[in-house]
Amino acid sequence: MKLTEEQLQQFDRDGFLFFPGLFKPDEVKVLTDEVPRLYAQDRPENIRERAGGVVRTNFAAHLYSDPFARLARHPRMVDPVMQLLGEQLYMHQFKINGKMAFDGDLWQWHQDYGTWFNDDQMPEPRAMNVAIFLDEVNEFNGPLMFIPGSHKLGVIEAKHDLVTTSYPLWTITNDTIRQLVERGGIVAPKGVAGSMILFHSCLVHASTANLSPWNRVSVYLSLCAVSNHIRRFKRPEFIAHRDFTPIECLPDDCLLKAYPVDLPWLHGTPPSALISEAA
Ligand code: SIN
Ligand code: MN
């Protein structure tokens, strides 16, 4: 899949591109069928919501789940990111966010590159976020909200919030958000399961709690240019990966055919991947 000149201009202006229904229902089903099994596992990669114990985020499934390992090598997802970053890519982070019906908590306003810069010492914002909807996203189940154009501002001052939710995040103050929204407004791409969003790692985003009866499970893949790999291993490896090997894509039908993939963490997370290095 090659981005057109118009899409490249749109990405430069807005900081994101939306592809409704890019993955077809039979492809999405291969992934959604696997999620309950992953969420039921007692693994450190499952981070739960503060209340209720449902999974907020599952990390690194591409290292122990066959369907997600194939998604991590999907050319429909990898090729446009390579085109935008002009280089081979490695997987910096891989998560399946639950945002479960009634219990899915909010994500505060933030830029992902803020965390990658502050915690991981990623040199430049030459990494891209990809969101793939496994459920329909509508106005009620906590869609991702963007402030268009906010990626142009580089790294915005943020503070490390360790209390609001069950997951620590470098968050942006309400005053700054008010100013950014006056300039750029807020948009929330919504659509069928299988839709994909590419968004710049400096784009300011957030999502509200899910009070609806509908789950909003989405996969978030963060692909980084190989030469821009992280320099500090402060966060555990299952959150910020340290294997900078370039991704090799599988054929376009890889969700429907069982191409062989490596699953190095199938029988458990290596102890070395659980420890944080001192800052
Ligand atoms: C994120 O920003 O990493 C997740 C946001 C969401 O799942 O809504
Ligand atoms: Mn984020």
Side-chain angles (χ1 to χ4, degrees), residues 5-25:
E5 192 52 42
E6 195 188 340
Q7 285 172 316
L8 294 173
Q9 281 172 17
Q10 198 181 331
F11 179 82
D12 180 59
R13 186 189 64 220
D14 298 337
F16 72 95
L17 290 171
F18 184 43
F19 304 87
L22 184 71
F23 293 92
K24 301 303 162 209

Short mmCIF file of all heavy atoms in Angstrom, two decimals, residues 5-25:
data_model
loop_
_atom_site.label_atom_id
_atom_site.label_comp_id
_atom_site.label_asym_id
_atom_site.label_seq_id
_atom_site.Cartn_x
_atom_site.Cartn_y
_atom_site.Cartn_z
N GLU A 5 0.39 11.41 -2.93
CA GLU A 5 0.93 12.74 -2.62
C GLU A 5 -0.04 13.50 -1.71
O GLU A 5 0.38 14.16 -0.74
CB GLU A 5 1.17 13.50 -3.94
CG GLU A 5 2.00 14.76 -3.80
CD GLU A 5 3.33 14.54 -3.06
OE1 GLU A 5 4.02 13.52 -3.30
OE2 GLU A 5 3.63 15.40 -2.20
N GLU A 6 -1.33 13.36 -1.98
CA GLU A 6 -2.35 14.06 -1.18
C GLU A 6 -2.34 13.54 0.27
O GLU A 6 -2.45 14.32 1.23
CB GLU A 6 -3.71 13.80 -1.83
CG GLU A 6 -4.79 14.72 -1.35
CD GLU A 6 -6.15 14.29 -1.88
OE1 GLU A 6 -6.21 13.55 -2.88
OE2 GLU A 6 -7.15 14.68 -1.24
N GLN A 7 -2.17 12.21 0.42
CA GLN A 7 -2.13 11.65 1.78
C GLN A 7 -0.88 12.12 2.52
O GLN A 7 -0.93 12.39 3.72
CB GLN A 7 -2.17 10.12 1.71
CG GLN A 7 -3.56 9.57 1.38
CD GLN A 7 -3.55 8.08 1.14
OE1 GLN A 7 -2.66 7.54 0.46
NE2 GLN A 7 -4.53 7.38 1.68
N LEU A 8 0.24 12.22 1.79
CA LEU A 8 1.48 12.69 2.43
C LEU A 8 1.29 14.13 2.93
O LEU A 8 1.72 14.48 4.03
CB LEU A 8 2.66 12.59 1.46
CG LEU A 8 3.07 11.17 1.06
CD1 LEU A 8 4.13 11.18 -0.04
CD2 LEU A 8 3.60 10.38 2.27
N GLN A 9 0.62 14.94 2.10
CA GLN A 9 0.39 16.35 2.50
C GLN A 9 -0.56 16.43 3.69
O GLN A 9 -0.37 17.22 4.61
CB GLN A 9 -0.21 17.13 1.33
CG GLN A 9 0.83 17.54 0.31
CD GLN A 9 0.20 18.14 -0.95
OE1 GLN A 9 -0.96 18.53 -0.95
NE2 GLN A 9 0.98 18.18 -2.02
N GLN A 10 -1.58 15.57 3.66
CA GLN A 10 -2.55 15.53 4.76
C GLN A 10 -1.86 15.11 6.06
O GLN A 10 -2.10 15.69 7.12
CB GLN A 10 -3.62 14.52 4.38
CG GLN A 10 -4.90 14.63 5.14
CD GLN A 10 -5.88 13.53 4.67
OE1 GLN A 10 -5.83 13.08 3.52
NE2 GLN A 10 -6.73 13.09 5.56
N PHE A 11 -0.98 14.12 5.97
CA PHE A 11 -0.26 13.68 7.16
C PHE A 11 0.60 14.80 7.70
O PHE A 11 0.64 15.05 8.92
CB PHE A 11 0.61 12.44 6.85
CG PHE A 11 1.36 11.97 8.05
CD1 PHE A 11 0.74 11.17 9.01
CD2 PHE A 11 2.67 12.37 8.28
CE1 PHE A 11 1.42 10.78 10.15
CE2 PHE A 11 3.35 11.98 9.42
CZ PHE A 11 2.72 11.18 10.35
N ASP A 12 1.27 15.50 6.79
CA ASP A 12 2.14 16.60 7.23
C ASP A 12 1.32 17.69 7.92
O ASP A 12 1.73 18.22 8.95
CB ASP A 12 2.88 17.16 6.00
CG ASP A 12 3.79 18.29 6.40
OD1 ASP A 12 4.68 18.04 7.24
OD2 ASP A 12 3.59 19.44 5.94
N ARG A 13 0.13 17.97 7.39
CA ARG A 13 -0.70 19.05 7.95
C ARG A 13 -1.36 18.66 9.28
O ARG A 13 -1.29 19.36 10.27
CB ARG A 13 -1.79 19.41 6.92
CG ARG A 13 -2.64 20.62 7.30
CD ARG A 13 -3.82 20.77 6.36
NE ARG A 13 -4.73 19.63 6.47
CZ ARG A 13 -5.33 19.04 5.43
NH1 ARG A 13 -5.14 19.49 4.22
NH2 ARG A 13 -6.15 18.01 5.63
N ASP A 14 -2.00 17.45 9.28
CA ASP A 14 -2.83 17.05 10.42
C ASP A 14 -2.09 16.19 11.45
O ASP A 14 -2.50 16.11 12.61
CB ASP A 14 -4.05 16.25 9.94
CG ASP A 14 -4.95 17.07 9.03
OD1 ASP A 14 -4.89 18.31 9.11
OD2 ASP A 14 -5.69 16.46 8.23
N GLY A 15 -1.09 15.44 10.99
CA GLY A 15 -0.37 14.54 11.90
C GLY A 15 -0.97 13.15 11.98
O GLY A 15 -0.52 12.34 12.79
N PHE A 16 -2.00 12.87 11.17
CA PHE A 16 -2.55 11.51 11.15
C PHE A 16 -3.25 11.22 9.83
O PHE A 16 -3.61 12.14 9.09
CB PHE A 16 -3.52 11.28 12.32
CG PHE A 16 -4.85 11.99 12.17
CD1 PHE A 16 -5.94 11.33 11.62
CD2 PHE A 16 -4.99 13.32 12.53
CE1 PHE A 16 -7.16 11.99 11.46
CE2 PHE A 16 -6.20 13.97 12.37
CZ PHE A 16 -7.28 13.32 11.83
N LEU A 17 -3.43 9.93 9.56
CA LEU A 17 -4.20 9.46 8.40
C LEU A 17 -5.13 8.36 8.87
O LEU A 17 -4.72 7.51 9.68
CB LEU A 17 -3.27 8.89 7.31
CG LEU A 17 -2.39 9.88 6.55
CD1 LEU A 17 -1.38 9.12 5.68
CD2 LEU A 17 -3.24 10.82 5.68
N PHE A 18 -6.35 8.35 8.35
CA PHE A 18 -7.34 7.36 8.77
C PHE A 18 -7.74 6.50 7.58
O PHE A 18 -8.03 7.03 6.51
CB PHE A 18 -8.57 8.10 9.33
CG PHE A 18 -9.64 7.19 9.88
CD1 PHE A 18 -9.31 6.10 10.68
CD2 PHE A 18 -10.98 7.43 9.62
CE1 PHE A 18 -10.29 5.27 11.21
CE2 PHE A 18 -11.97 6.61 10.15
CZ PHE A 18 -11.63 5.52 10.94
N PHE A 19 -7.74 5.18 7.78
CA PHE A 19 -8.07 4.23 6.72
C PHE A 19 -9.25 3.37 7.17
O PHE A 19 -9.04 2.30 7.77
CB PHE A 19 -6.86 3.33 6.41
CG PHE A 19 -5.60 4.07 6.06
CD1 PHE A 19 -4.72 4.49 7.06
CD2 PHE A 19 -5.30 4.37 4.74
CE1 PHE A 19 -3.56 5.18 6.75
CE2 PHE A 19 -4.13 5.06 4.41
CZ PHE A 19 -3.27 5.48 5.42
N PRO A 20 -10.48 3.81 6.94
CA PRO A 20 -11.64 3.03 7.42
C PRO A 20 -11.69 1.64 6.76
O PRO A 20 -11.47 1.52 5.55
CB PRO A 20 -12.84 3.88 6.98
CG PRO A 20 -12.30 5.24 6.68
CD PRO A 20 -10.89 5.04 6.23
N GLY A 21 -11.93 0.62 7.55
CA GLY A 21 -12.14 -0.73 7.03
C GLY A 21 -10.97 -1.31 6.26
O GLY A 21 -11.17 -2.13 5.36
N LEU A 22 -9.75 -0.94 6.61
CA LEU A 22 -8.58 -1.42 5.84
C LEU A 22 -8.41 -2.94 5.95
O LEU A 22 -8.05 -3.61 4.99
CB LEU A 22 -7.32 -0.72 6.34
CG LEU A 22 -6.05 -1.07 5.57
CD1 LEU A 22 -6.08 -0.44 4.17
CD2 LEU A 22 -4.80 -0.59 6.32
N PHE A 23 -8.65 -3.47 7.14
CA PHE A 23 -8.59 -4.93 7.32
C PHE A 23 -10.03 -5.45 7.30
O PHE A 23 -10.93 -4.84 7.87
CB PHE A 23 -7.88 -5.29 8.63
CG PHE A 23 -6.42 -4.92 8.60
CD1 PHE A 23 -5.99 -3.67 9.06
CD2 PHE A 23 -5.47 -5.79 8.09
CE1 PHE A 23 -4.65 -3.31 9.01
CE2 PHE A 23 -4.13 -5.44 8.04
CZ PHE A 23 -3.71 -4.20 8.50
N LYS A 24 -10.22 -6.58 6.59
CA LYS A 24 -11.58 -7.09 6.34
C LYS A 24 -12.06 -7.94 7.53
O LYS A 24 -11.24 -8.43 8.31
CB LYS A 24 -11.59 -7.91 5.04
CG LYS A 24 -11.14 -7.10 3.84
CD LYS A 24 -12.00 -5.83 3.64
CE LYS A 24 -11.32 -4.81 2.75
NZ LYS A 24 -11.69 -3.42 3.01
N PRO A 25 -13.39 -8.13 7.64
CA PRO A 25 -13.92 -8.84 8.81
C PRO A 25 -13.27 -10.21 9.06
O PRO A 25 -13.02 -10.55 10.22
CB PRO A 25 -15.42 -8.98 8.48
CG PRO A 25 -15.71 -7.78 7.63
CD PRO A 25 -14.47 -7.55 6.81
#
